[in-house]
Structures are given as C-alpha cells and as structure tokens.
Amino acid sequence: MNTTYANHDFDWIPELEKTVVSSLVTSFGLDFLLLKDKEGGDVDTIHNARQGHYATLTEKHRYEDRGHYDSTAYHTHPNYKSKGAADKAAHQLGSLRDPYRDTLMTAADKRALDHVVAAKEIHEDPGRVLAGLNGVEVANRSSNLQSTHETINASKGAKPIDQYLADVSKTIAKNEANIAALQRKLDAMPRDTPEQQHEARTLEAGINKIGKRNETLKSIDADGMRKRDAEAREAYEKEVNVTYYTGSRFLKNTAIASVNTGFRMGLRQVLGLVAGEVWFELRARLPAAMK
C-alpha cells in the first residue's frame, strides 16, 4: 500500500538549527556539569552552617570535632568567678538588680550567676565554631553574665528564652496541683505521737519550699527577661560575625571561590564557542551527507 506524506519535502534543517542554537544559548546542559550550585554555596557562611550546610568538608569536620561540652570549664572561668564575687558584694549592699524579675535582690534571695545565652548553646553553636572562637571565653563575657534568683537559674538551664517562659507557666500550674495534693495529705495526718508530729512538720516544710519556689517563678518579668536575652545575644552575634567575616580564613576562601567560579564560567563560554563552531561546520555539510 502506497502512502503519500504531505510533508515529504519539509525542510527540517531550520527547525534543527533552532533547537541546536537554543541549546547553545542555554549552555546545552553544561550548567549542571560545570556550574552546579552546592548546597550551602561556594563559601561557608554562619547562616548556612547553623542550618547544617557547609561549602567545605574542612569546616564541616571542624564542627564535628568541636569536643564535648564541659560544664566545669564554663563555670570556673576567671571572668565567671570575678563577676560572681562582684555581684555577691552588690547583693550584700542591697544594690544588685535582677532584670529577670525587674527588682533588687533582697538578703533572703538565694543568688546564682546565669549565662544569659546558655553556655551549652554557645558550645554547640556552628557559627561560633566557624568563627574559630573559644566557647568558654565567649560565654563568659560580662555581657552574657547575669545574677538572678537561684530558682530561676536552675529551672532555666540551656533552654531558649521563649521555650523557658512557656515551660515556666506549666511548671507553676504543676506545682500548684502538687501543693494542693500534699496539703490534703497533711490535713489528714494524725499528730498524736512525737513521730507523727515530726512527719507532719517535715511535710509542711516541703509544701512551704515548693510554694516559695513557685512564688519566685511567678515573679518573673517576661519582658525584662526577653530584653536581657536580646542584649546578650546581640553582643554575642556581633562578636561571632565580626570575627568570622573579617578573618583571614573567610577572605581567603572567598577569593578562592571567586577564582574558581570565574574559571568555570570561562570554561563554559569556551565550550559553548567550540560547540557552536562544530555545529556551523556540520550544518554546511549535513544536507549533502544526508543525500
């Protein structure tokens, strides 16, 4: 059976040329081979490091080898000791202010020195490691040390400020429920013998202790605590960023990355020109070859 095609004399060379030229313009796929963007870019940045993205294995391994958090080292630094001594003197004079509660600390308050940005958070911070800063030194800057009530310091731990404040509300409610249950138990306790009376007094002392801790937590000034946290973080972030972005390692890596990117861009253009020359030569000979 004979079949006649309406496009038997169709000139497909121009259409082929459009496709090839379009491929040349878009680097005919060489972008993927030569200029594929790496996750994290070509230069390590503080932001990307904190997201877990590294441009170089050197910095990735540097973070992995940062060592374990040593609480003792962070809490026995000379700055920590001297700040504690100065605050102790101010506390005895009645002039020590606790911004976490927006009040002066009284003689009855048990004082503790807090790392506003938690020492453990600083130790684990990829940005700090990337900048090459000593965690113990940075955590114990005067801008990051703050005396507060012992109860607040102990409950705060290494939690971010917003998480801590949210947990405080839950802790207060839990303590109140616990106090109520213990009070019911106390009310039902016999006090006929000295032993029974001692047991009752012990339980009552425990209830009072929980109550005092709860009153301290209730006295927290959330806005004041957030403000103090923001001040400490601003100073910390400034030191990390200035140290890294003005350091020789970052400037050197930026220069190397710029040269490498320029080379790859140039190579792409050269290969594009070579491919173009090949196509134009082939285009002139293709019709005769097909015949």
Side-chain angles (χ1 to χ4, degrees), residues 38 53 65 112 120 124 128 195 203 252 265 277:
K38 291 182 292 184
H53 304 319
D65 297 336
K120 190 173 191 302
E124 303 293 347
R128 189 271 306 169
E195 292 78 8
L203 180 57
K252 177 183 176 182
M265 285 291 290
E277 290 295 328

Side-chain angles (χ1 to χ4, degrees), residues 147-176:
S147 280
T148 186
H149 197 286
E150 181 183 60
T151 296
I152 297 175
N153 181 57
S155 60
K156 179 171 174 281
K159 297 177 183 176
I161 189 66
D162 288 332
Q163 180 186 338
Y164 173 68
L165 291 173
D167 289 346
V168 162
S169 299
K170 298 176 184 177
T171 301
I172 290 173
K174 187 182 296 184
N175 285 343
E176 288 179 342

Side-chain angles (χ1 to χ4, degrees), residues 56-233:
T56 64
L57 287 176
T58 299
E59 295 302 340
K60 185 173 186 287
H61 292 158
R62 189 197 301 274
Y63 180 70
E64 293 170 348
D65 297 336
R66 67 192 179 281
H68 296 294
Y69 170 66
D70 181 3
S71 177
T72 301
Y74 279 86
H75 292 83
T76 56
H77 187 273
N79 288 356
Y80 187 87
K81 291 182 176 180
S82 62
K83 174 63 174 174
D87 284 0
K88 179 180 179 180
H91 186 199
Q92 292 172 342
L93 293 172
S95 60
L96 182 62
R97 182 174 175 275
D98 180 359
Y100 292 175
R101 295 182 297 155
D102 191 25
T103 187
L104 291 175
M105 296 192 71
T106 67
D109 290 336
K110 292 184 178 180
R111 181 188 59 82
L113 190 58
D114 178 51
H115 289 103
V116 184
V117 180
K120 190 173 191 302
E121 179 183 343
I122 289 176
H123 180 79
E124 303 293 347
D125 179 24
R128 189 271 306 169
V129 178
L130 187 63
L133 289 168
N134 183 300
V136 176
E137 293 289 337
V138 178
N140 286 288
R141 303 286 190 234
S142 59
S143 59
N144 195 51
L145 296 175
Q146 179 62 58
S147 280
T148 186
H149 197 286
E150 181 183 60
T151 296
I152 297 175
N153 181 57
S155 60
K156 179 171 174 281
K159 297 177 183 176
I161 189 66
D162 288 332
Q163 180 186 338
Y164 173 68
L165 291 173
D167 289 346
V168 162
S169 299
K170 298 176 184 177
T171 301
I172 290 173
K174 187 182 296 184
N175 285 343
E176 288 179 342
N178 190 26
I179 289 171
L182 292 175
Q183 186 63 50
R184 288 192 295 271
K185 180 180 178 180
L186 177 64
D187 293 342
M189 289 179 67
R191 293 172 175 79
D192 299 328
T193 66
E195 292 78 8
Q196 291 173 340
Q197 294 170 9
H198 174 72
E199 187 177 351
R201 286 194 298 270
T202 300
L203 180 57
E204 185 175 17
I207 293 173
N208 291 335
K209 187 175 181 179
I210 297 173
K212 288 180 179 179
R213 286 204 303 264
N214 228 29
E215 289 304 312
T216 299
L217 295 178
K218 287 180 180 180
S219 69
I220 289 175
D221 176 27
D223 291 337
M225 201 170 191
R226 286 193 179 95
K227 180 181 178 183
R228 184 67 184 87
D229 180 81
E231 292 170 350
R233 286 183 184 279

Side-chain angles (χ1 to χ4, degrees), residues 256-271:
I256 293 173
S258 298
V259 171
N260 289 340
T261 301
F263 171 76
R264 286 180 291 163
M265 285 291 290
L267 180 59
R268 180 177 68 174
Q269 294 171 347
V270 169
L271 290 176

Side-chain angles (χ1 to χ4, degrees), residues 42-44 59 244 248-258:
D42 291 316
V43 181
D44 290 298
E59 295 302 340
Y244 179 61
S248 59
R249 195 165 75 253
F250 172 75
L251 297 176
K252 177 183 176 182
N253 290 340
T254 300
I256 293 173
S258 298

